[in-house]
Amino acid sequence: MSRTPMEQRILVALRDVPDFPEPGVTFKDITPLLADAALFADVVRAHARPWHGRVDLVAGLEARGFIFGAAVALELGVGFVPVRKAGKLPGTTVGLDYALEYGSARIEVHEDAVAAGSRVLVVDDVLATGGTARAACELLESCGAVVPAVEILVEIAVLDGRAALVGRDVRALVTV
Protein backbone atom coordinates (compact mmCIF):
# COMPACT_ATOMS: atom_id res chain seq x y z
CA MET A 1 0.00 0.00 0.00
CA SER A 2 1.33 3.38 -1.00
CA ARG A 3 1.29 5.99 1.79
CA THR A 4 1.22 9.76 1.54
CA PRO A 5 4.11 11.65 3.15
CA MET A 6 1.75 12.72 5.96
CA GLU A 7 0.68 9.12 6.62
CA GLN A 8 4.31 8.04 6.68
CA ARG A 9 5.21 10.78 9.17
CA ILE A 10 2.31 9.78 11.44
CA LEU A 11 3.20 6.09 11.32
CA VAL A 12 6.84 6.77 12.17
CA ALA A 13 5.76 8.91 15.14
CA LEU A 14 3.40 6.33 16.65
CA ARG A 15 4.74 3.86 19.19
CA ASP A 16 3.17 0.43 19.69
CA VAL A 17 3.08 -0.68 23.32
CA PRO A 18 2.29 -4.41 23.55
CA ASP A 19 0.07 -5.80 26.31
CA PHE A 20 -1.18 -2.40 27.46
CA PRO A 21 -3.55 -1.73 29.14
CA GLU A 22 -4.08 -5.49 29.33
CA PRO A 23 -2.50 -8.61 27.83
CA GLY A 24 -3.23 -9.07 24.15
CA VAL A 25 -3.87 -5.38 23.44
CA THR A 26 -1.36 -3.32 21.46
CA PHE A 27 -1.71 0.31 22.54
CA LYS A 28 -1.11 3.04 19.95
CA ASP A 29 0.97 5.62 21.85
CA ILE A 30 0.61 9.11 20.37
CA THR A 31 3.02 10.88 22.73
CA PRO A 32 5.96 10.82 20.27
CA LEU A 33 3.72 12.53 17.70
CA LEU A 34 2.70 15.17 20.25
CA ALA A 35 6.38 15.83 21.02
CA ASP A 36 7.01 16.70 17.35
CA ALA A 37 5.63 20.24 17.17
CA ALA A 38 5.68 20.43 13.36
CA LEU A 39 3.90 17.09 12.92
CA PHE A 40 1.37 17.87 15.66
CA ALA A 41 0.56 21.19 13.95
CA ASP A 42 0.26 19.47 10.56
CA VAL A 43 -2.11 16.85 12.02
CA VAL A 44 -4.29 19.54 13.58
CA ARG A 45 -4.43 21.48 10.30
CA ALA A 46 -5.26 18.29 8.38
CA HIS A 47 -8.14 17.52 10.75
CA ALA A 48 -9.44 21.09 10.54
CA ARG A 49 -8.99 21.73 6.81
CA PRO A 50 -12.34 20.36 5.58
CA TRP A 51 -14.34 22.00 8.38
CA HIS A 52 -13.48 25.72 8.24
CA GLY A 53 -16.78 27.60 8.39
CA ARG A 54 -18.75 24.33 8.51
CA VAL A 55 -18.93 23.56 12.25
CA ASP A 56 -19.86 25.48 15.37
CA LEU A 57 -18.09 23.30 17.95
CA VAL A 58 -15.59 20.49 18.24
CA ALA A 59 -16.19 17.63 20.69
CA GLY A 60 -13.20 15.64 21.90
CA LEU A 61 -13.47 12.20 23.48
CA GLU A 62 -11.73 11.51 26.78
CA ALA A 63 -8.87 11.54 27.10
CA ARG A 64 -6.58 11.73 24.10
CA GLY A 65 -9.35 13.15 21.94
CA PHE A 66 -9.20 16.21 24.21
CA ILE A 67 -5.69 16.96 22.95
CA PHE A 68 -6.55 16.84 19.27
CA GLY A 69 -10.09 18.16 19.65
CA ALA A 70 -9.09 21.26 21.59
CA ALA A 71 -6.32 22.04 19.11
CA VAL A 72 -8.67 21.55 16.13
CA ALA A 73 -11.24 23.83 17.79
CA LEU A 74 -8.59 26.54 18.15
CA GLU A 75 -7.54 26.08 14.52
CA LEU A 76 -11.19 26.44 13.45
CA GLY A 77 -11.91 29.35 15.79
CA VAL A 78 -14.79 27.51 17.48
CA GLY A 79 -15.53 26.25 20.97
CA PHE A 80 -14.63 22.87 22.45
CA VAL A 81 -16.90 20.34 24.19
CA PRO A 82 -15.31 17.62 26.35
CA VAL A 83 -17.07 14.26 26.19
CA ARG A 84 -16.13 12.66 29.51
CA LYS A 85 -16.46 9.43 31.40
CA ALA A 86 -19.31 9.44 33.92
CA GLY A 87 -18.85 11.52 37.06
CA LYS A 88 -15.96 13.65 35.77
CA LEU A 89 -17.83 16.84 34.86
CA PRO A 90 -19.05 19.33 37.47
CA GLY A 91 -22.59 20.58 37.27
CA THR A 92 -25.59 19.07 35.56
CA THR A 93 -24.83 16.57 32.84
CA VAL A 94 -26.60 14.36 30.33
CA GLY A 95 -25.18 10.96 29.57
CA LEU A 96 -25.44 7.82 27.53
CA ASP A 97 -24.71 4.25 28.54
CA TYR A 98 -23.22 2.05 25.83
CA ALA A 99 -21.96 -1.49 25.47
CA LEU A 100 -18.31 -2.41 25.43
CA GLU A 101 -16.89 -5.75 24.34
CA TYR A 102 -16.82 -6.84 27.99
CA GLY A 103 -19.27 -4.72 29.93
CA SER A 104 -20.59 -1.21 29.59
CA ALA A 105 -19.56 2.41 30.03
CA ARG A 106 -21.16 5.83 30.28
CA ILE A 107 -20.14 9.13 28.74
CA GLU A 108 -21.45 12.57 29.62
CA VAL A 109 -21.48 16.21 28.54
CA HIS A 110 -22.78 19.26 30.33
CA GLU A 111 -26.49 19.67 29.65
CA ASP A 112 -25.86 23.12 28.18
CA ALA A 113 -22.80 22.10 26.13
CA VAL A 114 -24.50 22.42 22.74
CA ALA A 115 -27.35 24.54 21.47
CA ALA A 116 -30.01 22.87 19.35
CA GLY A 117 -28.89 22.79 15.74
CA SER A 118 -25.20 23.28 16.53
CA ARG A 119 -22.90 21.52 14.07
CA VAL A 120 -20.43 19.54 16.19
CA LEU A 121 -17.37 17.80 14.78
CA VAL A 122 -16.33 14.75 16.84
CA VAL A 123 -12.56 14.23 17.16
CA ASP A 124 -10.63 11.32 18.66
CA ASP A 125 -7.20 9.78 18.33
CA VAL A 126 -7.91 6.11 17.54
CA LEU A 127 -10.90 4.36 16.01
CA ALA A 128 -10.91 0.77 17.25
CA THR A 129 -14.33 -0.89 17.61
CA GLY A 130 -16.19 2.41 17.19
CA GLY A 131 -18.43 2.05 20.24
CA THR A 132 -17.28 5.18 22.04
CA ALA A 133 -17.37 7.32 18.89
CA ARG A 134 -20.88 6.11 18.08
CA ALA A 135 -22.03 6.80 21.64
CA ALA A 136 -20.54 10.30 21.51
CA CYS A 137 -22.37 11.08 18.27
CA GLU A 138 -25.64 9.76 19.67
CA LEU A 139 -25.21 11.67 22.94
CA LEU A 140 -24.51 14.96 21.16
CA GLU A 141 -27.45 14.41 18.81
CA SER A 142 -29.71 13.71 21.79
CA CYS A 143 -28.77 17.19 22.99
CA GLY A 144 -29.90 18.69 19.67
CA ALA A 145 -26.55 18.80 17.87
CA VAL A 146 -25.96 17.87 14.26
CA VAL A 147 -22.79 15.76 13.92
CA PRO A 148 -21.45 16.14 10.36
CA ALA A 149 -18.42 13.88 10.82
CA VAL A 150 -15.94 12.06 13.00
CA GLU A 151 -12.26 12.93 12.57
CA ILE A 152 -9.75 10.27 13.66
CA LEU A 153 -5.96 10.22 13.73
CA VAL A 154 -5.52 6.42 13.40
CA GLU A 155 -8.06 3.83 12.34
CA ILE A 156 -7.33 0.19 13.21
CA ALA A 157 -8.94 -1.49 10.19
CA VAL A 158 -9.04 -5.05 11.53
CA LEU A 159 -11.34 -3.95 14.39
CA ASP A 160 -13.88 -2.54 11.87
CA GLY A 161 -14.91 0.48 13.91
CA ARG A 162 -16.54 2.01 10.83
CA ALA A 163 -19.25 -0.65 11.10
CA ALA A 164 -20.41 1.04 14.33
CA LEU A 165 -20.55 4.36 12.47
CA VAL A 166 -22.41 3.32 9.31
CA GLY A 167 -24.04 6.32 7.66
CA ARG A 168 -21.59 8.74 9.27
CA ASP A 169 -18.75 10.57 7.57
CA VAL A 170 -15.61 9.12 9.17
CA ARG A 171 -12.23 10.51 8.17
CA ALA A 172 -8.99 8.93 9.41
CA LEU A 173 -5.62 10.48 8.67
CA VAL A 174 -4.03 7.02 8.61
CA THR A 175 -5.35 3.47 8.62
CA VAL A 176 -3.33 0.56 10.00
Side-chain angles (χ1 to χ4, degrees):
M1 167 191 268
S2 180
R3 301 274 190 184
T4 68
M6 172 70 117
E7 289 172 322
Q8 291 171 1
R9 290 173 61 209
I10 291 168
L11 289 170
V12 167
L14 296 176
R15 177 174 36 217
D16 284 349
V17 180
D19 298 320
F20 183 83
E22 58 188 58
V25 174
T26 300
F27 185 81
K28 295 291 184 191
D29 182 10
I30 63 165
T31 57
L33 183 151
L34 298 174
D36 181 336
L39 178 56
F40 184 31
D42 287 345
V43 163
V44 169
R45 282 191 291 271
H47 278 315
R49 190 172 296 116
W51 305 109
H52 285 279
R54 297 180 58 203
V55 296
D56 304 305
L57 295 164
V58 173
L61 281 56
E62 186 168 346
R64 299 181 308 167
F66 290 0
I67 298 166
F68 292 105
V72 170
L74 283 172
E75 179 72 16
L76 293 172
V78 300
F80 175 74
V81 176
V83 178
R84 304 250 10 219
K85 295 174 185 170
K88 300 291 184 178
L89 289 170
T92 306
T93 61
V94 292
L96 180 73
D97 295 309
Y98 65 101
L100 297 171
E101 189 173 349
Y102 299 106
S104 64
R106 182 175 178 83
I107 55 172
E108 298 176 336
V109 295
H110 281 122
E111 70 174 355
D112 60 354
V114 298
S118 295
R119 296 163 299 164
V120 182
L121 178 66
V122 172
V123 176
D124 204 5
D125 65 327
V126 175
L127 178 62
T129 63
T132 304
R134 180 183 64 224
C137 292
E138 291 173 0
L139 174 59
L140 291 162
E141 289 166 347
S142 77
C143 294
V146 174
V147 178
V150 179
E151 282 280 334
I152 302 293
L153 175 66
V154 179
E155 178 180 2
I156 303 172
V158 71
L159 297 177
D160 198 22
R162 282 182 187 259
L165 297 165
V166 169
R168 296 191 182 277
D169 183 6
V170 179
R171 185 168 169 267
L173 296 186
V174 67
T175 301
V176 296

